[in-house]
Amino acid sequence: MGWNSWNYFAGRVTDADVRAAADALVSTGMRDAGYVYVNIDDTWQGQRDRHGVLQPNSKFPDMKALADYVHSKGLKLGIYSSPGPQTCAHYAGSYRHEKKDAATYAKWGIDYLKYDMCSYGNMMDKKYGKPTAANAEQRLAADKAVYEKMHKALLATGRPIVFSMCQYGWDDVWKWGATVGGNSWRTTGDINDTYKRMAEIGFGQAGLAKYAGRDQSSGHWNDPDMLEIGNGGMTEDEYRTHMSLWALLAAPLLAGNDLSRMTPATLAMLTNKDVIAIDQDPLGRQGDRLSQEGMQEIWSRPLSRGAIAVGLFNRSQDPQPITLSLPAANMGPNAKLHDVWANQDVSATGGSYTTSVPGHGAVLLRISQ
Ligand code: GLA
């Protein structure tokens, strides 16, 4: 959990914005709710010096000082690069400088690396041709190799650095991301601040649950991309769907809004304790779709101590009643239901629970035996 600069600041992000985000994580209580990574995305990079050591550009005058500042607040600092020669925003990538860059990050005190395919995809196109059945094996091997290379370079620094893979779900990355050292991997192309795109990504995650889980390090997680909550393009009900789905998906929760200017409603949504507890549940099992009927979807996620989380989603524009059958969710007729967003207990009758769900909205339940 943390924050990332891209969704709101994109190429404009500066040292001051990152410090302001760190300050806000502390002053708003988000850090204490679990949001500890402060992640600088693309456009921080400058030139390499004559030893090949990458320097930040003028927007980031002193990366070590920035890391010290972020650490002094009880937070961790993340950074961004690409296995290609250029990042997606055409800044310097780590191609042929993997070891040096990893060492530089460790020296600065970096705790997290998002490693974004970008121009390495073009290199694969040139070398093997655009993806076809005939070159699939070669491309997969190259895809794995570049990620493994950076994973090893990070390991060699001796500093624990979360490795966040970003290659848009190519080559069914969920099947092998963990074997090349990924702690998370993006499962799709980029999110944007619309219900259409968020829903397309979120509801498109069915079937991926078995690839996520805890391990001795930071675990290995499917990453449906960063949050758009608070950026203004969706209604409150739509953002509630976004947050509910991501929690059911055990997804990384990386806020992507301007933390120093957020509304109380945005803050409340991002810091809802019960929702965060679902996302971060110690069992570490991702949820999946339980049923789909027209524009209604029900998703469920196993939680520790035999409990489950259930999301009732209405993808239509108008309010609709949605019915959850407890046996269908493998729960007994006497199960206890808690409506998480409404923060109230509710009760099932005759083994089922029916409630009205707003258009594009969600009801999130925590159910225990
Ligand atoms: C890609 C990634 C985004 C972001 C941009 C930055 O599009 O998927 O998340 O990092 O690059 O250029």
Side-chain angles (χ1 to χ4, degrees):
M1 292 173 67
W3 171 85
N4 173 295
S5 59
W6 188 255
N7 283 356
Y8 180 80
F9 291 96
R12 303 182 308 274
V13 66
T14 65
D15 175 284
D17 296 327
V18 175
R19 285 173 192 250
D23 293 347
L25 284 171
V26 177
S27 67
T28 60
M30 279 181 73
R31 176 196 64 189
D32 296 340
Y35 292 87
V36 294
Y37 286 90
V38 181
N39 294 347
I40 308 167
D41 207 278
D42 207 349
T43 78
W44 63 266
Q45 308 87 335
Q47 305 299 317
R48 295 191 181 275
D49 69 13
R50 60 196 174 87
H51 306 291
V53 177
L54 186 58
Q55 310 296 314
N57 61 40
S58 59
K59 298 192 295 161
F60 291 88
D62 186 340
M63 219 36 117
K64 172 83 173 70
L66 178 55
D68 289 347
Y69 183 79
V70 167
H71 291 152
S72 77
K73 305 256 158 187
L75 297 163
K76 294 172 185 287
L77 187 64
I79 210 159
Y80 168 99
S81 189
S82 169
Q86 286 200 337
T87 65
C88 294
H90 308 293
Y91 285 70
S94 296
Y95 182 63
R96 289 192 166 149
H97 293 89
E98 294 83 359
K99 278 198 181 137
K100 232 167 231 174
D101 287 358
T104 303
Y105 305 150
K107 204 168 135 209
W108 287 339
I110 296 294
D111 307 291
Y112 181 116
L113 174 67
K114 172 174 169 181
Y115 206 45
D116 191 350
M117 180 58 91
C118 302
S119 62
Y120 195 79
N122 306 333
M123 290 181 68
M124 286 202 291
D125 289 350
K126 268 204 197 119
K127 199 158 173 201
Y128 308 111
K130 296 259 182 207
T132 62
N135 62 25
E137 228 168 275
Q138 282 173 314
R139 288 186 61 112
L140 170 64
D143 190 355
K144 283 183 175 173
V146 279
Y147 279 92
E148 188 157 39
K149 189 173 211 174
M150 184 49 102
H151 166 59
K152 288 194 170 146
L154 293 174
L155 274 187
T157 68
R159 185 176 173 85
I161 299 177
V162 171
F163 192 35
S164 156
M165 299 171 62
C166 175
Q167 44 79 293
Y168 335 114
W170 289 356
D171 301 321
D172 291 351
V173 61
W174 40 87
K175 293 183 180 161
W176 52 269
T179 69
V180 296
N183 295 117
S184 67
W185 44 82
R186 281 270 300 276
T187 53
T188 69
D190 291 11
I191 196 168
N192 61 43
D193 190 17
T194 62
Y195 176 77
K196 185 175 179 292
R197 181 64 180 147
M198 180 279 294
E200 177 178 45
I201 290 179
F203 294 112
Q205 303 298 299
L208 300 187
K210 64 168 179 255
Y211 302 107
R214 293 197 176 274
D215 54 34
Q216 315 84 302
S217 70
S218 319
H220 44 276
W221 309 102
N222 292 303
D223 174 8
D225 208 355
M226 306 168 292
L227 300 172
E228 291 283 6
I229 295 165
N231 281 334
M234 293 184 237
T235 66
E236 219 173 290
D237 282 323
E238 292 170 341
Y239 282 138
R240 210 169 281 123
T241 293
H242 189 4
M243 188 77 184
S244 305
L245 253 178
W246 266 235
L248 288 162
L249 293 170
L253 295 180
L254 294 169
N257 58 318
D258 181 0
L259 301 180
S260 46
R261 291 184 310 130
M262 74 185 140
T263 64
T266 295
L267 177 61
M269 196 172 298
L270 289 169
T271 54
N272 183 299
K273 277 206 166 60
D274 292 336
V275 180
I276 290 175
I278 292 171
D279 181 73
Q280 299 284 311
D281 183 82
L283 194 60
R285 286 185 54 196
Q286 180 175 330
D288 214 329
R289 183 189 284 137
L290 194 64
S291 65
Q292 181 177 24
E293 228 185 285
M295 302 295 269
Q296 304 185 351
E297 298 201 20
I298 302 183
W299 286 62
S300 77
R301 171 173 179 187
L303 302 174
S304 42
R305 294 193 299 274
I308 61 169
V310 170
L312 311 177
F313 297 100
N314 174 5
R315 297 182 67 174
S316 79
Q317 296 206 2
D318 305 309
Q320 283 189 7
I322 300 186
T323 298
L324 169 73
S325 142
L326 290 175
N330 278 323
M331 297 306 264
N334 298 321
K336 294 190 197 73
L337 279 66
H338 186 75
D339 180 327
V340 169
W341 290 115
N343 192 23
Q344 62 184 22
D345 292 339
V346 293
S347 43
T349 37
S352 73
Y353 175 67
T354 302
T355 188
S356 171
V357 182
H360 289 181
V363 166
L364 186 61
L365 302 168
R366 191 176 197 290
I367 307 182
S368 45
Q369 292 290 6

